[in-house]
Amino acid sequence: MGFATAAASRSFTPASVPLDAGTHAVRGEIAAVVNMRHAGPRPVRLRYELVGRADAPVVVLAGGISAHRHVAANAAFPEKGWAEDLVAAGRTLDPASRRILAFDFIGADGALDVPIDTADQADALALLLDHLGIAQLHCLVGYSYGALVGQQFAIRHRQRLRTLVAVSGAHRPHPYAAAWRALQRRAVALGQLQCADNLGLALARQFAMLSYRTPEEFGERFDAPPELVNGRVRVAAEDYLDAAGAQYVARTPVDAYLRLSESIDLHRIDPTDLHVPTVVVAVEGDRLVPLADCVGLVEGLGPRGSLRVLRSPYGHDAFLKETDRIDAILANAIRPLGETA
Amino acid sequence: MGFATAAASRSFTPASVPLDAGTHAVRGEIAAVVNMRHAGPRPVRLRYELVGRADAPVVVLAGGISAHRHVAANAAFPEKGWAEDLVAAGRTLDPASRRILAFDFIGADGALDVPIDTADQADALALLLDHLGIAQLHCLVGYSYGALVGQQFAIRHRQRLRTLVAVSGAHRPHPYAAAWRALQRRAVALGQLQCADNLGLALARQFAMLSYRTPEEFGERFDAPPELVNGRVRVAAEDYLDAAGAQYVARTPVDAYLRLSESIDLHRIDPTDLHVPTVVVAVEGDRLVPLADCVGLVEGLGPRGSLRVLRSPYGHDAFLKETDRIDAILANAIRPLGETA
């Protein structure tokens, strides 16, 4: 389980484990300096995982603010990843035919307590590609926050990307979703008042879960009368929400949550600046990223943009749940581009 | 501005001020004992306001958990009410042609720190009618929590109600809405833990505001980039949310909020038990009470039920905003019943 770490910028010692003929999984960590939009030059750690045949085209997969570099279990790193069903044998993102690169967002380690722009993430990714000697990405598949980072990468590093797939992320946050996140950050701040950081963070995550999912799903799963516990009403979904909060708190530094949540709200691009062919995937019923905003993004992209619409009871989380349909969209988006896999 | 108060149950000294020929406004407060579903017999104060001609048919207007007995300004009580545009000259609920009765929900004074059922509110209303010598209501117009109380009143005191108008309230809370409220109550609990009761209550109210309104409205009002204030992101809606929180905290005891919020989640009736003619008004786009749930209520009512559907960018708050359309619905619901106004 080697985590390679290098103190000096641009040097690294990756842990590389042969999986099968020609397929490798590598993790690495490098030190770099990112010139941040709102905070100036800052030292950061760039942590990545690269899986697949060394000669295959490289696809970056970037997820939501709680995603990370480990997208799927492999022989070298067998723990479950966050996109297990999408990065697998027989899928469009099959490590046997593509190299899948994923990275920890800067700030995700909680060590960067300044405003973080999606542009900063894009520049960090470019530094990482320099370091890995990857001139151009075949595709960047970004979901949620990852879609915003992908848009910035396409604008700021246009020559390094052939196609962008932006799932559940528009050119700017919807004002209602921004308000929802702002209140989540206030829950964290309320917890921090007297050293109940974890309670505040758990509550923020629980409110976030409501924005990721839909009433349809809750209606099916939690339609039971409430209980009275110690003279207080406890509704059917609270066990689920308790578990979601506890799980999140166990793996998330408070500052990472706050700064990446803010980062979504700082995002704002002009789609006419984006010149890379882009497939926008929208989910009807997404409570954070309304279909209309994805349509707005596609309209701004003009002939470079195309739209795929998915209807799912999982709302914003459809990317992680509707994996067959997402895979089919990815197959269409990625395959026709004349790759040489 | 006489507030009449009587210590003994069933006695009162109302403040009555002649408005114009035959029209009076009266406020009163009585002590009573309600046999509560989850807490047994409890002493409560019943506070009401009654406006209109003494010989006119009585309509009860009951609103959301933050509503109260003062629905509209009148000569005796000139401060603004919570349903100012619906209770006015020329409207269906014109005090010149109807007597409008409204009351403070039990628990709204913060003095009742036990689980409060919507059935308890209905029984409290029946006690109030006994006290006022009102045998039967011409109509009960209930909005949000008031619609739930109205359903219970129709079931438990069937002979005392000719018609029910239930706006934005179904036979049981939607599980998603219940989860949303449960998290609001947790925000209050987190505030209490930190000795910051007002901060917790303000945050709860702010999250509630998101459930009362719609993304469409926020999109129109708050579509501006965020600001960086003291190194933190502040989104465009936060000024509005701050004001909403402060305004609510200034007038709401914490226990009143908690117990009435719980009360919504305790509500659960069987529509087949409801035998009073009922007009159900649903708002398409209501994030708390989905149209499908109102349809479910109407289906359960059978031939006694009818449905009116409103589309509004104000979502759950449409009753308070779309007053022309609500008034038209009330005119149809109330007038054809052969009244003698």
Side-chain angles (χ1 to χ4, degrees):
Chain A
M1 295 293 289
F3 280 67
T5 307
S9 179
R10 308 293 172 87
S11 75
F12 79 127
T13 319
S16 180
V17 180
L19 297 180
D20 50 43
T23 306
H24 289 69
V26 174
R27 270 186 187 171
E29 174 176 333
I30 61 168
V33 172
V34 174
N35 190 13
M36 298 181 70
R37 179 176 276 188
H38 308 287
R42 297 277 170 166
V44 297
R45 315 289 291 184
L46 303 180
R47 299 179 181 87
Y48 67 92
E49 187 173 314
L50 182 57
V51 183
R53 299 166 56 99
D55 59 348
V58 179
V59 174
V60 161
L61 182 55
I65 61 168
S66 55
H68 46 73
R69 65 178 172 180
H70 185 56
V71 293
N74 55 54
F77 310 108
E79 63 274 22
K80 243 186 129 178
W82 62 269
E84 202 63 47
D85 295 330
L86 279 170
V87 177
R91 292 293 201 182
T92 307
L93 302 181
D94 184 343
S97 58
R98 287 190 175 76
R99 287 167 89 195
I100 311 294
L101 174 64
F103 59 102
D104 290 354
F105 292 120
I106 61 170
D109 56 6
L112 196 57
D113 191 18
V114 294
I116 302 170
D117 204 278
T118 47
D120 305 330
Q121 302 286 1
D123 292 353
L125 173 58
L127 288 174
L128 178 61
L129 297 185
D130 289 345
H131 167 78
L132 294 172
I134 297 170
Q136 193 188 47
L137 298 175
H138 184 72
C139 184
L140 191 160
V141 178
Y143 150 63
S144 190
Y145 186 59
L148 316 185
V149 173
Q151 292 164 24
Q152 292 279 14
F153 187 81
I155 290 172
R156 300 167 74 85
H157 306 281
R158 171 181 176 179
Q159 303 305 329
R160 308 191 75 156
L161 182 60
R162 287 179 59 181
T163 189
L164 172 66
V165 178
V167 184
S168 302
H171 49 296
R172 61 116 180 77
H174 191 280
Y176 183 89
W180 205 329
R181 277 185 295 269
L183 294 184
Q184 290 163 28
R185 296 193 290 271
R186 288 179 180 207
V188 173
L190 184 58
Q192 287 178 318
L193 268 189
Q194 286 188 27
C195 306
D197 293 35
N198 282 353
L199 284 178
L201 183 60
L203 182 58
R205 175 64 174 185
Q206 290 159 349
F207 272 114
M209 290 306 296
L210 292 192
S211 68
Y212 299 151
R213 300 304 180 86
T214 67
E216 289 81 352
E217 185 197 0
F218 273 63
E220 279 177 21
R221 292 177 64 178
F222 305 116
D223 198 359
E227 292 178 3
L228 282 174
V229 180
N230 299 325
R232 292 282 166 192
V233 170
R234 186 174 170 86
V235 307
E238 287 189 71
D239 285 351
Y240 164 79
L241 291 168
D242 275 339
Q247 192 181 34
Y248 192 69
V249 163
R251 65 169 196 256
T252 312
V254 169
D255 284 333
Y257 169 77
L258 287 174
R259 293 307 189 175
L260 292 176
S261 168
E262 284 184 349
S263 188
I264 301 171
D265 290 327
L266 285 172
H267 180 70
R268 195 162 280 246
I269 61 137
D270 182 345
T272 62
D273 293 336
L274 202 165
H275 298 286
V276 171
T278 299
V279 179
V280 175
V281 183
V283 179
E284 204 188 327
D286 185 333
R287 290 170 97 76
L288 283 182
V289 185
L291 177 57
D293 283 6
C294 291
V295 171
L297 169 58
V298 169
E299 285 174 350
L301 292 172
R304 299 173 307 284
S306 64
L307 180 67
R308 298 285 175 276
V309 180
L310 212 65
R311 174 142 184 87
S312 164
Y314 294 108
H316 191 68
D317 274 355
F319 181 83
L320 305 173
K321 294 284 192 175
E322 308 284 359
T323 46
D324 286 348
R325 295 156 76 195
I326 292 288
D327 184 62
I329 289 172
L330 294 182
N332 279 317
I334 296 179
R335 287 214 173 104
L337 287 170
E339 68 181 20
T340 56
Chain B
M1 294 294 287
F3 281 65
T5 309
S9 179
R10 308 293 174 88
S11 74
F12 79 127
T13 318
S16 178
V17 180
L19 297 180
D20 50 44
T23 307
H24 289 68
V26 174
R27 270 185 187 171
E29 174 176 333
I30 62 168
V33 172
V34 174
N35 191 13
M36 297 181 71
R37 180 176 275 186
H38 308 287
R42 297 276 170 167
V44 298
R45 314 290 291 183
L46 304 180
R47 299 179 182 86
Y48 67 92
E49 187 172 314
L50 182 57
V51 184
R53 298 167 55 101
D55 60 346
V58 179
V59 175
V60 161
L61 182 55
I65 61 169
S66 56
H68 46 74
R69 64 178 171 178
H70 185 56
V71 293
N74 54 54
F77 310 107
E79 63 274 23
K80 245 186 127 179
W82 62 268
E84 203 61 48
D85 295 329
L86 279 170
V87 177
R91 292 292 201 182
T92 307
L93 302 181
D94 184 343
S97 59
R98 287 189 173 78
R99 286 167 89 194
I100 311 293
L101 174 63
F103 59 103
D104 291 353
F105 291 121
I106 60 170
D109 56 6
L112 197 57
D113 191 18
V114 294
I116 301 170
D117 203 277
T118 47
D120 305 330
Q121 302 287 1
D123 292 353
L125 174 58
L127 288 174
L128 178 61
L129 297 185
D130 289 346
H131 168 77
L132 295 172
I134 297 169
Q136 193 188 45
L137 297 175
H138 185 72
C139 184
L140 191 160
V141 178
Y143 150 62
S144 189
Y145 186 59
L148 317 185
V149 173
Q151 293 164 22
Q152 291 279 15
F153 187 80
I155 291 172
R156 299 167 74 84
H157 307 281
R158 170 181 176 180
Q159 303 304 329
R160 308 191 76 157
L161 182 60
R162 287 180 60 181
T163 188
L164 172 65
V165 178
V167 184
S168 302
H171 49 296
R172 61 115 181 77
H174 191 280
Y176 184 88
W180 205 330
R181 277 185 296 269
L183 294 184
Q184 290 162 29
R185 295 192 291 270
R186 288 179 180 208
V188 173
L190 182 58
Q192 289 177 320
L193 192 67
Q194 311 284 68
C195 301
D197 294 35
N198 282 353
L199 284 178
L201 183 60
L203 182 59
R205 175 65 174 185
Q206 290 159 348
F207 272 115
M209 290 306 296
L210 292 192
S211 69
Y212 298 151
R213 300 305 179 86
T214 66
E216 290 80 353
E217 185 197 0
F218 273 63
E220 279 178 22
R221 292 177 64 177
F222 305 116
D223 197 359
E227 292 178 2
L228 282 174
V229 180
N230 299 324
R232 291 281 165 192
V233 169
R234 186 175 170 86
V235 308
E238 287 189 72
D239 285 352
Y240 164 79
L241 291 168
D242 275 339
Q247 192 181 35
Y248 192 70
V249 163
R251 65 169 196 255
T252 312
V254 168
D255 284 333
Y257 169 77
L258 287 174
R259 293 307 189 176
L260 292 175
S261 168
E262 284 183 349
S263 188
I264 301 171
D265 291 326
L266 284 172
H267 180 69
R268 195 163 281 245
I269 62 138
D270 181 344
T272 62
D273 293 337
L274 201 166
H275 299 286
V276 171
T278 298
V279 179
V280 175
V281 183
V283 180
E284 204 188 325
D286 186 333
R287 291 169 96 77
L288 283 181
V289 184
L291 177 57
D293 282 6
C294 291
V295 170
L297 169 58
V298 170
E299 285 174 351
L301 292 171
R304 299 173 307 285
S306 64
L307 179 68
R308 300 284 175 277
V309 180
L310 211 64
R311 174 144 184 85
S312 165
Y314 295 108
H316 191 67
D317 273 355
F319 182 82
L320 304 173
K321 294 284 191 175
E322 308 283 0
T323 47
D324 286 348
R325 296 155 75 194
I326 292 288
D327 185 61
I329 289 171
L330 293 182
N332 279 317
I334 296 179
R335 287 215 173 101
L337 287 170
E339 66 181 21
T340 57

